[in-house]
Every structure is written in structure tokens, then in C-alpha cells.
Amino acid sequence: MDDFSYELEGMRKLRRMTMSQIREWSDGGVTGMCYSYLKPAVKLSRVTGKYIPVGMCEDESGIEDEGNVCNPELGVLEFADAYAQMEEDGTLDSSTRFLLLKNIIHSFNDRYRREYDSPEPSLKELNCFINAAMAMQRYDNEMVPVSLKAELFREIGLFGQVQYMCKKFEGAPGLEEVLSHALNGKTRPFVTRRYIPER
């Protein structure tokens, strides 16, 4: 076997191994060997001190000007601040709004829910998470599938809403597993299935 064929086979083995170790959480987060965190929807401008959508600081060549953007680690409160600031400024478009809600949900769960020894969130962070989960309910079922809406109700402890959705949308994919966790009073995200990325 020549060097190229050997390297190609090695890459295929690594890819197979990687795929088998990637998992999807019930809220759509991804974990595993190739952990894929939902990318932040916003960055913080060094020039204005305000949050701006990712991609807004591009020069004429289309390359983002990192000199004008600082991107500290953003958490639940930073994403919520970005949402409030951009809404007040009138710069919050529908796409960024949706991504920021997902950023709030994922950053909360990444920090406080995915591990059993996670720290406790502050009341402010918990309120931001609840508000984001409730805001996701307003989207149509194509943008936010019924199973994800039910999952978000479960994560904020509205187990009765989960039961209602399971009756209303009986047979929808993923609802039974969400319901089984709700009936046991569980609010933590759980791993649902193997994640198969788009090719």
C-alpha cells in the first residue's frame, strides 16, 4: 500500500470512529469527540462597545476585520444583553433573533445542565433561559420542531405542556422520549441519537 492510500484509509477510519462518538442532545446541541458548539450569533465591537451580528465587520474583500471585534467568551447573560441591546437599537433582524435565542439555550445547558456536577445558575441566568425557551414556542413547527418545543417545555419544568403537546401531535418523532422524561420529572437534556452531520 502506498503512502497516499495508507493515509486515506487512516482518514476513513478516523472519520468512522469520530461519527460513532458524536451524539446529539435533546435540545439539538452536539457533543462527542468532535464537539460542535453552536457558533455565537454576535460579536462585541471594540470600536462601539456594542454587540453586532457576526459578519458585520467585513472589509471589501469579505474577510472579517478582527481588529475591530473582540470576542470574549459569551455566556447566557452576554447573549441576553446582546438581544436586549440590539432590540433597543432596532438592529435585531429575525435571523439574528432566532440564533441568539438558540445561543442562550445552548450556553445555559452547556454550562449548567449537561454534566451532573455542573454549578447552579444564577436566578438571572435561569430567567434568561426560561424566556428564551418560551420565545422559541412562537416559531412555526418547521423552524422549531414540535419535539424541540416539547423538550424546551420539559427543561423549564412545564410537564403538563409536554403531555398536552404529545396528545395534540401524537406520533411526531421524538415526542415519546421527551414525554417519558417529563413523566419522571426530569429537566436535564438527554442524548437522543447518533448525530449524522450534513455531507
Side-chain angles (χ1 to χ4, degrees):
M1 187 181 283
D2 61 33
D3 287 346
F4 177 74
S5 299
Y6 180 78
E7 186 176 331
L8 191 60
E9 184 56 28
M11 286 166 61
R12 285 186 186 130
K13 281 182 184 172
L14 178 62
R15 187 158 188 259
R16 279 194 298 271
M17 180 181 73
T18 302
M19 294 302 176
S20 70
Q21 293 180 3
I22 295 175
R23 299 286 183 267
E24 184 172 337
W25 289 97
S26 48
D27 65 356
V30 178
T31 189
M33 186 172 169
C34 288
Y35 184 74
S36 174
Y37 177 75
L38 182 70
K39 291 184 178 161
V42 294
K43 291 189 175 186
L44 187 61
S45 169
R46 287 185 201 274
V47 177
T48 64
K50 292 191 170 192
Y51 292 100
I52 53 175
V54 169
M56 285 289 289
C57 282
E58 293 178 351
D59 62 19
E60 290 176 6
S61 67
I63 297 170
E64 197 156 14
D65 179 8
E66 293 294 338
N68 289 330
V69 175
C70 61
N71 204 21
E73 180 133 354
L74 302 178
V76 178
L77 297 180
E78 289 78 17
F79 287 126
D81 286 345
Y83 187 102
Q85 173 236 292
M86 293 173 77
E87 191 168 51
E88 188 176 308
D89 294 349
T91 58
L92 188 61
D93 61 45
S94 59
S95 173
T96 306
R97 180 187 307 272
F98 183 67
L99 288 174
L100 276 172
L101 291 172
K102 287 175 76 174
N103 281 150
I104 290 168
I105 288 164
H106 283 246
S107 59
F108 182 89
N109 281 336
D110 286 343
R111 176 96 172 103
Y112 300 112
R113 292 280 184 81
R114 304 219 194 274
E115 302 294 331
Y116 280 95
D117 58 352
S118 297
E120 287 295 314
S122 68
L123 186 57
K124 189 173 181 182
E125 288 168 309
L126 183 58
N127 282 332
C128 290
F129 174 72
I130 291 169
N131 290 338
M134 292 304 290
M136 292 292 267
Q137 304 299 328
R138 294 194 292 263
Y139 286 91
D140 66 45
N141 294 342
E142 282 193 27
M143 276 196 88
V144 181
V146 171
S147 59
L148 179 53
K149 289 180 179 180
E151 170 59 9
L152 292 173
F153 276 138
R154 184 190 69 81
E155 288 184 19
I156 60 177
L158 294 178
F159 303 129
Q161 281 298 116
V162 177
Q163 289 179 294
Y164 168 77
M165 290 187 80
C166 287
K167 286 177 186 170
K168 185 176 179 182
F169 300 100
E170 188 176 353
L175 277 182
E176 276 187 36
E177 195 169 6
V178 174
L179 179 61
S180 72
H181 285 261
L183 292 174
N184 288 314
K186 295 179 181 176
T187 57
R188 286 183 178 273
F190 56 90
V191 176
T192 57
R193 60 183 168 79
R194 187 167 294 164
Y195 176 75
I196 301 171
E198 293 176 11
R199 294 176 189 226

